[in-house]
Amino acid sequence: MNIRPLALSVLLAASALAVSVPSHAVTEKPGAQAEAGIAWYKGDVDSAFSYAKKHHHPLFLYWGAVWCPPCNQVKATVFNRQDFISRSRFFVPVHLDGDSPSAQKLGARFKVRGYPTMILFRPDGTEITRLPGEVDSARYLQVLELGMNAGRPVKETLSAALAGDKKLSEDDWRLLAWYAWDEDEAQLIPPKQLPATVQRLAGACPPGDTALRLGLRALVLTAAAAPEERPAVDQAAANALVLKVLGDARLARDNMDILVNSAADIAGLITAPQSEARAKLVAAWNGALKGLADDASLSKADRLTAVDAEVTLARLDTPNGALDAALLQEVRTRVAAADVATTNQDERQSVIYSAAEALTDAGLLDESDALLNAELKRSHSPYYFMLKLAANAKKRGDNTAALNWYEQAYNTSKGPATRLQWGSTYLSSLLELAPDDEKRIEQAADNVIREVGSMENAFYERNRTALEKIGHKLSAWNSAGKHDTVFQHVRKQLGGVCEKLPKGDSQRAACEGVLSPAQS
């Protein structure tokens, strides 16, 4: 599917746009801070929405974190593009950092969880669409313009499509096909219904590139679903669809995000192990991946992910087998080239993560460690790479080194939501890898809960998820009452935090539920 970028004159034709795109640039926005040419709001989000409504401007919300590789990828490949910067002058751009004081409460309000999530709103605050964060920058801008020109929110378009409306335009279908389904958070469809719903859309969409895209998205969502929640998949038809995309360089490039990120998942879903069909599919997929890995128009991180996809396909039927020497050399060569060529700090956060992941998946753990250790001195968020070093150590069976890296990552992490997430990971790892080390577990729990007690909005969104994770794991750890002294100590400490919250505050109920008596 080739969507030609709309001319700026069309983009600004306010009379034709339900979103009332202004005929002049947004100027003098109170609270805005210029960054890389974009006047981001970084303060009071409500004032940004009020401004957008008063001046009839759409609003673009970016929810992200400093350490997040995909966020840094978007910053390095989309937000720094002059054409995106130019378009940002015609909507109100809002940057919501996940570690800002009110971020997690706002995250719950807007139903955003994964970093990055990007949403386009009408001036009245109605959500138009969620933009995909894994597509290449040119495609991203095309989808942004589709949203800016949408005659109605994607939720209404979805209802019309499911009702069999024959009046849907090509752009209506494209907006559905390129919607960020992975970041929906039940805004359009309950999660359990997503695979079947997108499968229905693929069947209802007029034949062509957009229908193929929807078909691929349905396969991704189906592969990710629990087995009991998966709709039936016609494997022969699915194979034909995927092979058609793989055999066409243009279609493969258009759908590169799916092909590089979900290769093994889809192949495992639609073919039987050790079958002729799987061998044929994997061969075709590898051919397409090599083309994507060589495509200089793609970001370095995407090209490395294409190489990693070759590795995951090679592991599909022999997860512990030795890889072909040529594939190992390809991984090494491409990682080394990307390391040398990437000088932008934001881009490196994404590229080095992708490179380390490829090395790890290929079984080259020492080389992955060397790359990550070197990056600790360069990265603006080294604590993120420490988690990968911990995972590598765990994969080797070196639990002591793994826990030391998890602890170091927690101790050096920055930002309240990030520290809670990293602390949860460290404590969970202790419970898994050193369950008898009660002293260390108690100390880690004390540190995390002490920070929770000083946090604003500690029981919203990602914060709440992290604490619930801790609660479930602590309860499972003490299921036989073996660690009851430590467990009761932690419960008492958390109870002190809960008691300080107002009785009518929803956070109090969330706090009390983390380690409720029923869980002990």
Side-chain angles (χ1 to χ4, degrees), residues 129-167:
T129 192
R130 298 193 171 206
L131 297 143
E134 294 184 334
V135 299
D136 68 282
S137 57
R139 177 68 66 188
Y140 185 92
L141 287 167
Q142 292 167 356
V143 179
L144 175 63
E145 291 197 9
L146 282 174
M148 294 285 285
N149 285 280
R152 54 187 166 183
V154 71
K155 189 169 187 176
E156 294 179 15
T157 303
L158 174 64
S159 295
L162 295 175
D165 189 342
K166 302 298 183 183
K167 296 181 181 179

mmCIF file of all heavy atoms in Angstrom, residues 129-167:
data_model
loop_
_atom_site.group_PDB
_atom_site.id
_atom_site.type_symbol
_atom_site.label_atom_id
_atom_site.label_comp_id
_atom_site.label_asym_id
_atom_site.label_seq_id
_atom_site.Cartn_x
_atom_site.Cartn_y
_atom_site.Cartn_z
ATOM 1 N N THR A 129 -7.524 8.654 17.003
ATOM 2 C CA THR A 129 -6.862 7.374 16.732
ATOM 3 C C THR A 129 -5.589 7.269 17.551
ATOM 4 O O THR A 129 -5.088 8.268 18.085
ATOM 5 C CB THR A 129 -6.541 7.221 15.238
ATOM 6 O OG1 THR A 129 -6.169 5.871 14.959
ATOM 7 C CG2 THR A 129 -5.425 8.155 14.795
ATOM 8 N N ARG A 130 -5.080 6.047 17.650
ATOM 9 C CA ARG A 130 -3.791 5.770 18.285
ATOM 10 C C ARG A 130 -2.808 5.399 17.187
ATOM 11 O O ARG A 130 -3.113 4.558 16.342
ATOM 12 C CB ARG A 130 -3.920 4.655 19.329
ATOM 13 C CG ARG A 130 -4.869 5.047 20.434
ATOM 14 C CD ARG A 130 -4.843 4.161 21.651
ATOM 15 N NE ARG A 130 -5.655 4.812 22.689
ATOM 16 C CZ ARG A 130 -5.507 4.650 23.990
ATOM 17 N NH1 ARG A 130 -4.564 3.847 24.453
ATOM 18 N NH2 ARG A 130 -6.281 5.289 24.849
ATOM 19 N N LEU A 131 -1.656 6.034 17.235
ATOM 20 C CA LEU A 131 -0.687 5.897 16.150
ATOM 21 C C LEU A 131 0.316 4.788 16.438
ATOM 22 O O LEU A 131 0.781 4.641 17.575
ATOM 23 C CB LEU A 131 0.043 7.221 15.950
ATOM 24 C CG LEU A 131 -0.889 8.361 15.508
ATOM 25 C CD1 LEU A 131 -0.476 9.661 16.148
ATOM 26 C CD2 LEU A 131 -0.902 8.484 14.006
ATOM 27 N N PRO A 132 0.664 3.996 15.436
ATOM 28 C CA PRO A 132 1.590 2.877 15.641
ATOM 29 C C PRO A 132 3.019 3.364 15.835
ATOM 30 O O PRO A 132 3.528 4.160 15.047
ATOM 31 C CB PRO A 132 1.453 2.073 14.345
ATOM 32 C CG PRO A 132 1.069 3.105 13.310
ATOM 33 C CD PRO A 132 0.224 4.111 14.030
ATOM 34 N N GLY A 133 3.680 2.865 16.869
ATOM 35 C CA GLY A 133 5.028 3.331 17.171
ATOM 36 C C GLY A 133 6.133 2.520 16.542
ATOM 37 O O GLY A 133 7.298 2.898 16.623
ATOM 38 N N GLU A 134 5.800 1.394 15.890
ATOM 39 C CA GLU A 134 6.850 0.513 15.366
ATOM 40 C C GLU A 134 7.020 0.616 13.856
ATOM 41 O O GLU A 134 7.872 -0.065 13.293
ATOM 42 C CB GLU A 134 6.546 -0.938 15.757
ATOM 43 C CG GLU A 134 6.620 -1.175 17.264
ATOM 44 C CD GLU A 134 6.413 -2.625 17.639
ATOM 45 O OE1 GLU A 134 5.754 -3.346 16.868
ATOM 46 O OE2 GLU A 134 6.913 -3.042 18.696
ATOM 47 N N VAL A 135 6.209 1.431 13.209
ATOM 48 C CA VAL A 135 6.354 1.577 11.758
ATOM 49 C C VAL A 135 7.484 2.549 11.463
ATOM 50 O O VAL A 135 7.933 3.297 12.332
ATOM 51 C CB VAL A 135 5.037 2.066 11.116
ATOM 52 C CG1 VAL A 135 3.925 1.070 11.365
ATOM 53 C CG2 VAL A 135 4.632 3.443 11.626
ATOM 54 N N ASP A 136 7.942 2.563 10.231
ATOM 55 C CA ASP A 136 9.023 3.483 9.876
ATOM 56 C C ASP A 136 8.494 4.906 9.828
ATOM 57 O O ASP A 136 7.290 5.153 9.796
ATOM 58 C CB ASP A 136 9.653 3.079 8.545
ATOM 59 C CG ASP A 136 8.709 3.267 7.384
ATOM 60 O OD1 ASP A 136 7.817 2.416 7.195
ATOM 61 O OD2 ASP A 136 8.858 4.267 6.675
ATOM 62 N N SER A 137 9.394 5.864 9.825
ATOM 63 C CA SER A 137 9.007 7.266 9.998
ATOM 64 C C SER A 137 8.120 7.792 8.871
ATOM 65 O O SER A 137 7.170 8.553 9.121
ATOM 66 C CB SER A 137 10.254 8.140 10.125
ATOM 67 O OG SER A 137 11.099 7.991 8.989
ATOM 68 N N ALA A 138 8.393 7.403 7.627
ATOM 69 C CA ALA A 138 7.566 7.877 6.516
ATOM 70 C C ALA A 138 6.135 7.368 6.656
ATOM 71 O O ALA A 138 5.168 8.108 6.455
ATOM 72 C CB ALA A 138 8.170 7.429 5.189
ATOM 73 N N ARG A 139 5.983 6.090 6.997
ATOM 74 C CA ARG A 139 4.653 5.527 7.199
ATOM 75 C C ARG A 139 3.959 6.193 8.373
ATOM 76 O O ARG A 139 2.753 6.448 8.334
ATOM 77 C CB ARG A 139 4.767 4.020 7.448
ATOM 78 C CG ARG A 139 3.454 3.335 7.749
ATOM 79 C CD ARG A 139 2.534 3.317 6.559
ATOM 80 N NE ARG A 139 3.088 2.494 5.501
ATOM 81 C CZ ARG A 139 2.556 2.428 4.276
ATOM 82 N NH1 ARG A 139 1.502 3.161 3.956
ATOM 83 N NH2 ARG A 139 3.094 1.646 3.361
ATOM 84 N N TYR A 140 4.701 6.499 9.426
ATOM 85 C CA TYR A 140 4.122 7.151 10.592
ATOM 86 C C TYR A 140 3.466 8.470 10.197
ATOM 87 O O TYR A 140 2.341 8.770 10.614
ATOM 88 C CB TYR A 140 5.200 7.399 11.641
ATOM 89 C CG TYR A 140 4.668 7.968 12.932
ATOM 90 C CD1 TYR A 140 4.306 7.134 13.976
ATOM 91 C CD2 TYR A 140 4.508 9.338 13.090
ATOM 92 C CE1 TYR A 140 3.795 7.648 15.153
ATOM 93 C CE2 TYR A 140 4.002 9.867 14.265
ATOM 94 C CZ TYR A 140 3.645 9.024 15.294
ATOM 95 O OH TYR A 140 3.123 9.543 16.460
ATOM 96 N N LEU A 141 4.164 9.243 9.395
ATOM 97 C CA LEU A 141 3.620 10.537 8.980
ATOM 98 C C LEU A 141 2.380 10.362 8.110
ATOM 99 O O LEU A 141 1.443 11.156 8.174
ATOM 100 C CB LEU A 141 4.689 11.340 8.251
ATOM 101 C CG LEU A 141 5.780 11.887 9.174
ATOM 102 C CD1 LEU A 141 6.957 12.381 8.373
ATOM 103 C CD2 LEU A 141 5.218 13.003 10.036
ATOM 104 N N GLN A 142 2.359 9.318 7.296
ATOM 105 C CA GLN A 142 1.180 9.055 6.481
ATOM 106 C C GLN A 142 -0.023 8.722 7.368
ATOM 107 O O GLN A 142 -1.142 9.195 7.128
ATOM 108 C CB GLN A 142 1.468 7.915 5.506
ATOM 109 C CG GLN A 142 2.479 8.281 4.425
ATOM 110 C CD GLN A 142 2.994 7.065 3.671
ATOM 111 O OE1 GLN A 142 2.653 5.925 3.991
ATOM 112 N NE2 GLN A 142 3.830 7.297 2.672
ATOM 113 N N VAL A 143 0.212 7.920 8.402
ATOM 114 C CA VAL A 143 -0.881 7.558 9.310
ATOM 115 C C VAL A 143 -1.330 8.781 10.106
ATOM 116 O O VAL A 143 -2.525 8.965 10.353
ATOM 117 C CB VAL A 143 -0.439 6.424 10.258
ATOM 118 C CG1 VAL A 143 -1.571 6.071 11.224
ATOM 119 C CG2 VAL A 143 -0.044 5.185 9.462
ATOM 120 N N LEU A 144 -0.395 9.624 10.503
ATOM 121 C CA LEU A 144 -0.745 10.856 11.199
ATOM 122 C C LEU A 144 -1.669 11.714 10.342
ATOM 123 O O LEU A 144 -2.684 12.244 10.819
ATOM 124 C CB LEU A 144 0.520 11.630 11.565
ATOM 125 C CG LEU A 144 0.323 13.016 12.199
ATOM 126 C CD1 LEU A 144 -0.403 12.902 13.529
ATOM 127 C CD2 LEU A 144 1.674 13.714 12.384
ATOM 128 N N GLU A 145 -1.347 11.840 9.064
ATOM 129 C CA GLU A 145 -2.184 12.649 8.181
ATOM 130 C C GLU A 145 -3.542 11.996 7.956
ATOM 131 O O GLU A 145 -4.562 12.686 7.824
ATOM 132 C CB GLU A 145 -1.450 12.902 6.871
ATOM 133 C CG GLU A 145 -0.247 13.820 7.052
ATOM 134 C CD GLU A 145 0.246 14.418 5.737
ATOM 135 O OE1 GLU A 145 -0.438 14.263 4.704
ATOM 136 O OE2 GLU A 145 1.316 15.033 5.766
ATOM 137 N N LEU A 146 -3.585 10.670 7.915
ATOM 138 C CA LEU A 146 -4.881 9.996 7.836
ATOM 139 C C LEU A 146 -5.743 10.385 9.023
ATOM 140 O O LEU A 146 -6.943 10.659 8.882
ATOM 141 C CB LEU A 146 -4.689 8.475 7.819
ATOM 142 C CG LEU A 146 -4.260 7.812 6.518
ATOM 143 C CD1 LEU A 146 -3.995 6.330 6.760
ATOM 144 C CD2 LEU A 146 -5.329 7.974 5.439
ATOM 145 N N GLY A 147 -5.147 10.384 10.211
ATOM 146 C CA GLY A 147 -5.893 10.767 11.405
ATOM 147 C C GLY A 147 -6.309 12.215 11.373
ATOM 148 O O GLY A 147 -7.444 12.563 11.736
ATOM 149 N N MET A 148 -5.425 13.102 10.920
ATOM 150 C CA MET A 148 -5.748 14.527 10.849
ATOM 151 C C MET A 148 -6.901 14.787 9.893
ATOM 152 O O MET A 148 -7.679 15.725 10.076
ATOM 153 C CB MET A 148 -4.513 15.310 10.394
ATOM 154 C CG MET A 148 -3.354 15.293 11.368
ATOM 155 S SD MET A 148 -3.596 16.355 12.798
ATOM 156 C CE MET A 148 -3.318 17.980 12.083
ATOM 157 N N ASN A 149 -7.028 13.963 8.875
ATOM 158 C CA ASN A 149 -8.064 14.154 7.872
ATOM 159 C C ASN A 149 -9.288 13.260 8.087
ATOM 160 O O ASN A 149 -10.201 13.264 7.264
ATOM 161 C CB ASN A 149 -7.496 13.890 6.475
ATOM 162 C CG ASN A 149 -6.612 15.025 5.998
ATOM 163 O OD1 ASN A 149 -7.080 16.049 5.534
ATOM 164 N ND2 ASN A 149 -5.306 14.849 6.154
ATOM 165 N N ALA A 150 -9.290 12.489 9.162
ATOM 166 C CA ALA A 150 -10.399 11.561 9.398
ATOM 167 C C ALA A 150 -11.707 12.310 9.609
ATOM 168 O O ALA A 150 -11.757 13.307 10.329
ATOM 169 C CB ALA A 150 -10.093 10.687 10.608
ATOM 170 N N GLY A 151 -12.751 11.813 8.983
ATOM 171 C CA GLY A 151 -14.060 12.431 9.140
ATOM 172 C C GLY A 151 -14.733 12.094 10.449
ATOM 173 O O GLY A 151 -15.716 12.734 10.833
ATOM 174 N N ARG A 152 -14.227 11.079 11.141
ATOM 175 C CA ARG A 152 -14.814 10.662 12.416
ATOM 176 C C ARG A 152 -13.756 9.880 13.192
ATOM 177 O O ARG A 152 -12.781 9.384 12.609
ATOM 178 C CB ARG A 152 -16.050 9.794 12.187
ATOM 179 C CG ARG A 152 -15.785 8.597 11.288
ATOM 180 C CD ARG A 152 -17.061 7.864 10.954
ATOM 181 N NE ARG A 152 -16.870 6.920 9.852
ATOM 182 C CZ ARG A 152 -17.844 6.195 9.324
ATOM 183 N NH1 ARG A 152 -19.077 6.288 9.812
ATOM 184 N NH2 ARG A 152 -17.597 5.376 8.318
ATOM 185 N N PRO A 153 -13.950 9.721 14.491
ATOM 186 C CA PRO A 153 -12.996 8.930 15.277
ATOM 187 C C PRO A 153 -12.954 7.486 14.800
ATOM 188 O O PRO A 153 -13.939 6.955 14.281
ATOM 189 C CB PRO A 153 -13.556 9.019 16.704
ATOM 190 C CG PRO A 153 -14.411 10.241 16.702
ATOM 191 C CD PRO A 153 -14.988 10.332 15.323
ATOM 192 N N VAL A 154 -11.817 6.840 14.997
ATOM 193 C CA VAL A 154 -11.648 5.470 14.527
ATOM 194 C C VAL A 154 -12.643 4.525 15.209
ATOM 195 O O VAL A 154 -13.041 3.510 14.633
ATOM 196 C CB VAL A 154 -10.192 5.009 14.744
ATOM 197 C CG1 VAL A 154 -9.885 4.788 16.212
ATOM 198 C CG2 VAL A 154 -9.892 3.749 13.949
ATOM 199 N N LYS A 155 -13.093 4.863 16.418
ATOM 200 C CA LYS A 155 -14.076 4.029 17.111
ATOM 201 C C LYS A 155 -15.371 3.955 16.321
ATOM 202 O O LYS A 155 -15.990 2.888 16.206
ATOM 203 C CB LYS A 155 -14.336 4.572 18.519
ATOM 204 C CG LYS A 155 -15.178 3.656 19.389
ATOM 205 C CD LYS A 155 -15.167 4.134 20.834
ATOM 206 C CE LYS A 155 -15.864 3.114 21.734
ATOM 207 N NZ LYS A 155 -15.778 3.520 23.164
ATOM 208 N N GLU A 156 -15.799 5.085 15.767
ATOM 209 C CA GLU A 156 -17.019 5.096 14.960
ATOM 210 C C GLU A 156 -16.797 4.374 13.632
ATOM 211 O O GLU A 156 -17.681 3.669 13.136
ATOM 212 C CB GLU A 156 -17.462 6.542 14.704
ATOM 213 C CG GLU A 156 -17.906 7.275 15.963
ATOM 214 C CD GLU A 156 -18.307 8.714 15.680
ATOM 215 O OE1 GLU A 156 -18.522 9.058 14.493
ATOM 216 O OE2 GLU A 156 -18.383 9.507 16.643
ATOM 217 N N THR A 157 -15.608 4.542 13.078
ATOM 218 C CA THR A 157 -15.282 3.847 11.829
ATOM 219 C C THR A 157 -15.293 2.340 12.043
ATOM 220 O O THR A 157 -15.782 1.580 11.194
ATOM 221 C CB THR A 157 -13.906 4.298 11.318
ATOM 222 O OG1 THR A 157 -13.915 5.718 11.141
ATOM 223 C CG2 THR A 157 -13.564 3.629 10.002
ATOM 224 N N LEU A 158 -14.763 1.894 13.176
ATOM 225 C CA LEU A 158 -14.767 0.464 13.490
ATOM 226 C C LEU A 158 -16.194 -0.062 13.592
ATOM 227 O O LEU A 158 -16.510 -1.130 13.036
ATOM 228 C CB LEU A 158 -14.025 0.221 14.808
ATOM 229 C CG LEU A 158 -14.072 -1.207 15.350
ATOM 230 C CD1 LEU A 158 -13.374 -2.172 14.390
ATOM 231 C CD2 LEU A 158 -13.434 -1.285 16.738
ATOM 232 N N SER A 159 -17.060 0.660 14.272
ATOM 233 C CA SER A 159 -18.456 0.226 14.407
ATOM 234 C C SER A 159 -19.122 0.116 13.043
ATOM 235 O O SER A 159 -19.854 -0.849 12.768
ATOM 236 C CB SER A 159 -19.231 1.214 15.291
ATOM 237 O OG SER A 159 -18.725 1.215 16.611
ATOM 238 N N ALA A 160 -18.856 1.088 12.185
ATOM 239 C CA ALA A 160 -19.444 1.062 10.844
ATOM 240 C C ALA A 160 -18.918 -0.128 10.047
ATOM 241 O O ALA A 160 -19.663 -0.806 9.340
ATOM 242 C CB ALA A 160 -19.133 2.368 10.122
ATOM 243 N N ALA A 161 -17.625 -0.400 10.155
ATOM 244 C CA ALA A 161 -17.026 -1.522 9.421
ATOM 245 C C ALA A 161 -17.616 -2.847 9.880
ATOM 246 O O ALA A 161 -17.943 -3.711 9.061
ATOM 247 C CB ALA A 161 -15.515 -1.516 9.600
ATOM 248 N N LEU A 162 -17.769 -3.012 11.191
ATOM 249 C CA LEU A 162 -18.312 -4.259 11.727
ATOM 250 C C LEU A 162 -19.792 -4.421 11.407
ATOM 251 O O LEU A 162 -20.305 -5.545 11.368
ATOM 252 C CB LEU A 162 -18.088 -4.324 13.240
ATOM 253 C CG LEU A 162 -16.625 -4.401 13.692
ATOM 254 C CD1 LEU A 162 -16.530 -4.344 15.209
ATOM 255 C CD2 LEU A 162 -15.961 -5.674 13.166
ATOM 256 N N ALA A 163 -20.467 -3.287 11.166
ATOM 257 C CA ALA A 163 -21.885 -3.326 10.812
ATOM 258 C C ALA A 163 -22.098 -3.553 9.312
ATOM 259 O O ALA A 163 -23.234 -3.627 8.848
ATOM 260 C CB ALA A 163 -22.572 -2.038 11.249
ATOM 261 N N GLY A 164 -20.994 -3.623 8.555
ATOM 262 C CA GLY A 164 -21.104 -3.885 7.123
ATOM 263 C C GLY A 164 -21.352 -2.658 6.278
ATOM 264 O O GLY A 164 -21.866 -2.771 5.157
ATOM 265 N N ASP A 165 -21.006 -1.479 6.787
ATOM 266 C CA ASP A 165 -21.204 -0.233 6.040
ATOM 267 C C ASP A 165 -20.390 -0.268 4.741
ATOM 268 O O ASP A 165 -19.168 -0.384 4.764
ATOM 269 C CB ASP A 165 -20.757 0.947 6.907
ATOM 270 C CG ASP A 165 -21.114 2.298 6.301
ATOM 271 O OD1 ASP A 165 -21.392 2.363 5.093
ATOM 272 O OD2 ASP A 165 -21.105 3.293 7.048
ATOM 273 N N LYS A 166 -21.071 -0.153 3.625
ATOM 274 C CA LYS A 166 -20.403 -0.212 2.320
ATOM 275 C C LYS A 166 -19.857 1.147 1.883
ATOM 276 O O LYS A 166 -19.237 1.253 0.823
ATOM 277 C CB LYS A 166 -21.381 -0.720 1.256
ATOM 278 C CG LYS A 166 -21.976 -2.096 1.550
ATOM 279 C CD LYS A 166 -20.896 -3.168 1.619
ATOM 280 C CE LYS A 166 -21.504 -4.548 1.842
ATOM 281 N NZ LYS A 166 -20.458 -5.603 1.991
ATOM 282 N N LYS A 167 -20.096 2.172 2.679
ATOM 283 C CA LYS A 167 -19.683 3.518 2.289
ATOM 284 C C LYS A 167 -18.317 3.906 2.854
ATOM 285 O O LYS A 167 -17.867 5.028 2.657
ATOM 286 C CB LYS A 167 -20.726 4.532 2.755
ATOM 287 C CG LYS A 167 -22.088 4.349 2.093
ATOM 288 C CD LYS A 167 -23.068 5.398 2.571
ATOM 289 C CE LYS A 167 -24.444 5.210 1.916
ATOM 290 N NZ LYS A 167 -25.419 6.211 2.400
#
